Amino acid sequence: MSFNLKQADAVKISLAIRSGELSAQEVCTRTLDKINQQNPTLNCFTTILSEQAIAQAKTLEQAIAKGQDPGPLTGVPFAVKNLFDIAGITTLAGSKINQENPPASQDSTAIKRLKQAGAILIGALNMDEYAYGFVTENSHYGATPNPHDLSRISGGSSGGSAASVAAGLVSFTLGTDTNGSIRVPASLCGVFGFKPTYGRLSRAGVALFSSSLDHIGPFGKSVRDIATIYDILQGEDECDPVCTKRSPELSLPQLETGIKDVKIAVLGGYFAEAWEPEVLEVVAQIATALNVTQQITIPEAHRAKAAAYLITACEGSNLHLANLRSRPQDFDPATRDRFLAGALIPATWYNQAQRFRRWYQQQVREIFRQVDILLAPTTPCVAPKIGQEKMNIEGVELLVRPNLGVYTQPLSFVGLPVLSVPVKRSGQLPLGVQIIAAPYNEALILRVAKCLEAQGIIGVGEFP
């Protein structure tokens, strides 16, 4: 078979199936074989839906044989972080405690919409317990290593989602992002990771972590895949009152319209405090490709990170108070200790963090009256080693877990749409750059990313 399923993006796979070059069953079978061979090493999947996936592939083939077009993702296998409800499967959210819950009665809204577009759900993916972490080193289900270097982490909390795309097991996945849980693993694994505006995509049927910060979004191999999946997932949902706004659908030719009049700046100050020189080098590489010379500073970004931590810890711990009191031993120790700390935060601190949030939102709004797009690093370093608790940055020792989101937290804090793009770095570990826009301006982010992709500056690398 000449078709390289491992390297193809979702749009290419779907076109091949709809044209008759490939069959949906063949793609599904090859994907399952690959997962069964590699998952014992990569530990991306916690659930593999073999029978369900093959049955769906057969149904799609029957529709195609009748001359029907099942949708823009026809026959494309995908997988989701294991906090998305899957009908008939218990939603783990990375925990041991949730194993005792009954199976989900229906699919999450996001899964329903992807299936309606012809995509085939093939499994659920490993994550940090209750989405509280940046490492995907789960004491219940094991660590998910980085496909580029198995001694290193994949990032988190959507580590299985990023690693499975990076390894070519599936062409796209879904994850969630509270403080950077899509963007951090996307950067460390070298794939695209998209966090749309807060409230843009439905979270119905998703186990929440911190409701006022949680987003869902896709991981993928190309800008056109991210745009396609984003369009499919859009739309109001009565099951999620936060999800109320829809933008016009993107067409793939829209992404080719160029960025001649787009005002772009690099974020300075807090976002330019170098941890590793290569982190700022990749931002400079993107800025040069876009002819960007302007630099802008968001005031008090370091306080935004701190306030995001307070809100996350308070909201997250509140969801699990009963189990923290009655069965603390059944939590992942790293998660439990942070939840317990969050439960002790005074309410006045939480209220002050929310007041600061409103002020910070106004500062960011003013910046977007000057520019259209901002650029910033995604992570402060390449992927640390599995089990590594601390990292030494210019002589300063810092904890890994709370600091991998240093550049992502101040942006999700006010719900901005952000795409982490993988910068091409031959022979080096991956690093990503964040492309940031004002709320509800996802289309512009994708246009800028398409321009960079066309220049060959960004893209998902090839794997052995």
Side-chain angles (χ1 to χ4, degrees), residues 320-338:
H320 303 285
L321 275 178
N323 285 330
L324 287 166
R325 290 190 179 109
S326 63
R327 51 191 305 185
Q329 72 281 359
D330 291 331
F331 284 81
D332 184 316
T335 308
R336 177 195 62 218
D337 293 348
R338 283 174 290 160

Side-chain angles (χ1 to χ4, degrees), residues 272-321:
E273 295 172 1
W275 290 44
E276 297 287 355
E278 59 189 334
V279 170
L280 295 186
E281 287 170 7
V282 294
V283 178
Q285 186 178 344
I286 296 296
T288 299
L290 296 172
N291 297 314
V292 175
T293 57
Q294 184 180 3
Q295 189 174 94
I296 280 183
T297 300
I298 301 179
E300 305 295 343
H302 65 292
R303 286 194 171 89
K305 179 182 182 297
Y309 166 77
L310 288 173
I311 293 169
T312 301
C314 288
E315 292 184 357
S317 62
N318 187 61
L319 287 174
H320 303 285
L321 275 178

Side-chain angles (χ1 to χ4, degrees), residues 10-22:
V11 171
K12 184 175 182 179
I13 293 169
S14 178
L15 289 171
I17 291 171
R18 285 183 284 169
S19 70
E21 182 183 353
L22 291 172

